[in-house]
Amino acid sequence: ETLTVELGERSYPIVIGEGLLQHAPKLLQEAGISSKSQLLIVTDEHVAKNYLEPLREVLATAGYRTTASVIAAGEQSKSLSVYDRIMTEAIQAGLDRKSAVLALGGGVVGDLAGFVAATYMRGIDFVQLPTTLLAHDSSVGGKVAINHPLGKNLIGAFHQPRVVIYDTSALHTLPKREVAAGFAEVVKHGLISDEAFVDWLKENADRLWELDSELLAKAIQRGCAVKAAIVSEDETEQGKRALLNLGHTFGHAFEALSAYSALNHGEAIAIGMCIAAKVAERVGIAEKGVCEQTERVLSLYHLPTKWPAGLTPEAVLEAMKRDKKTVGGKLALVLPRAIGHVELIKDIDEEIILTVMREEVEA
Ligand code: NAD
Ligand code: ZN
């Protein structure tokens, strides 16, 4: 299956299917990356174990020269020091303006490799080869970034890939905790704009959890389509794109305060979406049952919905204010009105947010 992210001359296809890595050379050529281009494959140690050599072989057979940068797995690698190391490897390998960076992995690899591609010689071609479910989100939309010790994704750029090659067979080696994290973003895309999709995710939760290939491809396709539609309307987040941040202002705070280790991104935003629903109920904009339904669909995918132990509401509020989604220090939050409908509410009273969080700690 193929869908297109419509961005004028920067439009690109997302190709989804089983066994696509075997067809990478053809898909690269169709995206305008010829076998004359040198390729830098960025991947992490877990992904490299299963998928790096087969990919290099199929690319070599088609005449591509490849260099690989293998990073340690985990959010810690989205750092200036790892960025610096990959840049050094790229320069030493002799990459030029016609070269391309291939991100083979999850969102960590995609964000980091994308930032390398965005900044190497002021920007070279970039291709996403997602290997996690969560990456259905991170590989679409062109936001690339690394973290600063003081905050997540604070150093970054917009750099769209030439093509996204989504080989769903890679998901079978993914640890279940990472599968759950990926479903958090899939559910998010439903909660933002598609009630029928949320119902479908509820009805088919068991088979999706077992990675039934047909249903999985459909879930990825639908999730990508929701994101692609919003990104097409608002590439650089002047307006509508902010809606994709449902659960993320809370979630980023949870992640930062747990030093990117106790909770992964998907778990953090799952809890964040539940708290956002509680705030929406408190300020009176949410339809009855929104909290309950949000918690229910997330629970079906084995995601946490309760306040993360050990964090205080006051610390979370401070971290939320440091998140770059604040405007002029005021908190703007994406809140659900109903399942499938969210809204960016600017200037929410901090006291309300604190009250809701304090109730959650006690619950
Ligand atoms: P990740 O890249 O760390 O992958 C999760 C874990 O799974 C890692 O240990 C990885 O080594 C392992 N793994 C990956 N593919 C595997 C496979 N096929 N088999 C076995 N193990 C595999 O994390 P993620 O959840 O994919 O992405 C999270 C990151 O994405 C965060 O940094 C987040 O900020 C970012 N993100 C970015 C955007 C965006 O728009 N750019 C959107 C959402 C999330
Ligand atoms: Zn996210």
Short mmCIF file of all heavy atoms in Angstrom, two decimals, residues 134 137-138 152-153 181 184-185 188-189 227 244-248 252 255 265-266 269 325, ligand 2:
data_model
loop_
_atom_site.label_atom_id
_atom_site.label_comp_id
_atom_site.label_asym_id
_atom_site.label_seq_id
_atom_site.Cartn_x
_atom_site.Cartn_y
_atom_site.Cartn_z
N LEU A 134 5.85 2.62 16.56
CA LEU A 134 5.80 4.04 16.90
C LEU A 134 6.28 4.91 15.75
O LEU A 134 5.82 6.03 15.54
CB LEU A 134 6.63 4.31 18.16
CG LEU A 134 6.39 5.70 18.74
CD1 LEU A 134 6.25 5.63 20.24
CD2 LEU A 134 7.48 6.68 18.33
N ASP A 137 4.51 7.19 13.24
CA ASP A 137 4.32 8.59 13.57
C ASP A 137 5.59 9.39 13.26
O ASP A 137 5.58 10.34 12.49
CB ASP A 137 3.94 8.70 15.05
CG ASP A 137 3.67 10.13 15.47
OD1 ASP A 137 3.91 11.05 14.68
OD2 ASP A 137 3.23 10.32 16.61
N SER A 138 6.70 8.95 13.84
CA SER A 138 7.92 9.76 13.76
C SER A 138 8.47 9.84 12.34
O SER A 138 9.17 10.79 12.00
CB SER A 138 8.98 9.20 14.71
OG SER A 138 9.26 7.86 14.42
N LYS A 152 13.64 17.81 25.80
CA LYS A 152 13.55 16.89 24.68
C LYS A 152 13.38 17.63 23.35
O LYS A 152 12.66 18.62 23.29
CB LYS A 152 12.34 16.00 24.94
CG LYS A 152 12.34 14.70 24.19
CD LYS A 152 11.18 13.84 24.68
CE LYS A 152 10.64 13.02 23.54
NZ LYS A 152 11.54 11.97 23.08
N ASN A 153 14.04 17.13 22.32
CA ASN A 153 13.86 17.64 20.95
C ASN A 153 14.11 19.14 20.82
O ASN A 153 13.52 19.78 19.95
CB ASN A 153 12.43 17.35 20.44
CG ASN A 153 12.16 15.86 20.30
OD1 ASN A 153 13.09 15.06 20.17
ND2 ASN A 153 10.90 15.48 20.32
N ALA A 181 3.88 0.76 22.99
CA ALA A 181 4.22 2.18 22.84
C ALA A 181 3.79 2.70 21.46
O ALA A 181 3.29 3.81 21.33
CB ALA A 181 5.73 2.37 23.04
N ALA A 184 0.20 3.46 21.25
CA ALA A 184 -0.19 4.73 21.88
C ALA A 184 -0.34 5.83 20.82
O ALA A 184 -1.29 6.61 20.84
CB ALA A 184 0.83 5.14 22.94
N GLU A 185 0.59 5.88 19.87
CA GLU A 185 0.49 6.91 18.81
C GLU A 185 -0.60 6.56 17.80
O GLU A 185 -1.26 7.46 17.26
CB GLU A 185 1.83 7.10 18.08
CG GLU A 185 3.00 7.54 18.97
CD GLU A 185 3.09 9.04 19.26
OE1 GLU A 185 2.11 9.77 19.02
OE2 GLU A 185 4.16 9.47 19.75
N LYS A 188 -3.64 7.63 19.44
CA LYS A 188 -3.66 9.11 19.41
C LYS A 188 -4.23 9.62 18.09
O LYS A 188 -5.07 10.53 18.08
CB LYS A 188 -2.24 9.66 19.61
CG LYS A 188 -2.19 11.19 19.62
CD LYS A 188 -0.77 11.71 19.48
CE LYS A 188 -0.31 11.67 18.03
NZ LYS A 188 1.05 12.25 17.84
N HIS A 189 -3.80 9.03 16.99
CA HIS A 189 -4.28 9.51 15.69
C HIS A 189 -5.80 9.31 15.57
O HIS A 189 -6.49 10.13 14.98
CB HIS A 189 -3.51 8.84 14.55
CG HIS A 189 -2.11 9.36 14.44
ND1 HIS A 189 -1.00 8.54 14.49
CD2 HIS A 189 -1.64 10.63 14.33
CE1 HIS A 189 0.10 9.30 14.40
NE2 HIS A 189 -0.27 10.55 14.31
N LYS A 227 -1.91 11.51 10.18
CA LYS A 227 -0.79 12.43 10.38
C LYS A 227 -0.46 13.19 9.09
O LYS A 227 -0.26 14.40 9.11
CB LYS A 227 0.44 11.68 10.86
CG LYS A 227 1.63 12.62 11.01
CD LYS A 227 2.55 12.28 12.12
CE LYS A 227 3.55 13.40 12.35
NZ LYS A 227 4.66 12.98 13.19
N LEU A 244 -1.53 17.34 16.90
CA LEU A 244 -0.83 16.05 17.02
C LEU A 244 -0.15 15.92 18.38
O LEU A 244 0.34 14.85 18.72
CB LEU A 244 0.21 15.92 15.90
CG LEU A 244 -0.36 15.80 14.49
CD1 LEU A 244 0.75 15.97 13.45
CD2 LEU A 244 -1.04 14.44 14.30
N ASN A 245 -0.10 17.00 19.12
CA ASN A 245 0.56 16.96 20.43
C ASN A 245 -0.37 16.50 21.56
O ASN A 245 0.00 16.63 22.73
CB ASN A 245 1.12 18.33 20.78
CG ASN A 245 2.20 18.75 19.80
OD1 ASN A 245 2.95 17.91 19.31
ND2 ASN A 245 2.27 20.03 19.50
N LEU A 246 -1.53 15.96 21.23
CA LEU A 246 -2.41 15.44 22.28
C LEU A 246 -1.60 14.52 23.21
O LEU A 246 -0.93 13.59 22.76
CB LEU A 246 -3.56 14.63 21.65
CG LEU A 246 -4.50 13.92 22.64
CD1 LEU A 246 -5.26 14.94 23.50
CD2 LEU A 246 -5.48 13.00 21.92
N GLY A 247 -1.67 14.82 24.50
CA GLY A 247 -0.97 14.01 25.50
C GLY A 247 0.51 14.28 25.62
O GLY A 247 1.18 13.76 26.54
N HIS A 248 1.06 15.10 24.72
CA HIS A 248 2.52 15.24 24.66
C HIS A 248 3.11 16.26 25.62
O HIS A 248 4.26 16.14 25.99
CB HIS A 248 2.97 15.56 23.23
CG HIS A 248 3.04 14.34 22.37
ND1 HIS A 248 1.94 13.55 22.10
CD2 HIS A 248 4.07 13.75 21.72
CE1 HIS A 248 2.30 12.55 21.33
NE2 HIS A 248 3.59 12.64 21.08
N HIS A 252 5.89 14.61 27.59
CA HIS A 252 7.29 15.04 27.56
C HIS A 252 7.80 15.36 28.96
O HIS A 252 8.96 15.09 29.29
CB HIS A 252 7.46 16.26 26.66
CG HIS A 252 7.43 15.92 25.20
ND1 HIS A 252 7.24 16.86 24.22
CD2 HIS A 252 7.56 14.74 24.55
CE1 HIS A 252 7.27 16.28 23.02
NE2 HIS A 252 7.44 14.99 23.21
N GLU A 255 8.52 12.08 30.64
CA GLU A 255 9.76 11.50 30.10
C GLU A 255 11.00 12.21 30.65
O GLU A 255 11.97 11.57 31.06
CB GLU A 255 9.80 11.64 28.57
CG GLU A 255 9.02 10.62 27.81
CD GLU A 255 9.20 10.84 26.31
OE1 GLU A 255 8.43 11.62 25.72
OE2 GLU A 255 10.12 10.25 25.73
N HIS A 265 8.42 6.74 25.39
CA HIS A 265 7.61 7.83 24.85
C HIS A 265 6.12 7.46 24.76
O HIS A 265 5.24 8.22 25.16
CB HIS A 265 8.15 8.22 23.46
CG HIS A 265 7.41 9.33 22.82
ND1 HIS A 265 7.48 10.63 23.26
CD2 HIS A 265 6.55 9.35 21.77
CE1 HIS A 265 6.71 11.39 22.51
NE2 HIS A 265 6.13 10.64 21.59
N GLY A 266 5.86 6.26 24.27
CA GLY A 266 4.47 5.84 24.11
C GLY A 266 3.75 5.74 25.44
O GLY A 266 2.58 6.15 25.57
N ILE A 269 3.02 9.30 26.78
CA ILE A 269 1.90 10.03 26.15
C ILE A 269 0.56 9.34 26.40
O ILE A 269 -0.48 9.98 26.39
CB ILE A 269 2.12 10.28 24.64
CG1 ILE A 269 2.11 8.99 23.85
CG2 ILE A 269 3.39 11.08 24.39
CD1 ILE A 269 1.57 9.19 22.45
N LYS A 325 6.41 23.62 23.60
CA LYS A 325 5.04 23.86 23.15
C LYS A 325 4.36 25.01 23.90
O LYS A 325 3.22 25.34 23.63
CB LYS A 325 4.20 22.59 23.28
CG LYS A 325 4.17 21.83 21.97
CD LYS A 325 4.75 20.46 22.05
CE LYS A 325 5.39 20.08 20.74
NZ LYS A 325 6.26 18.93 20.88
ZN ZN B 2 4.76 11.22 20.07
#
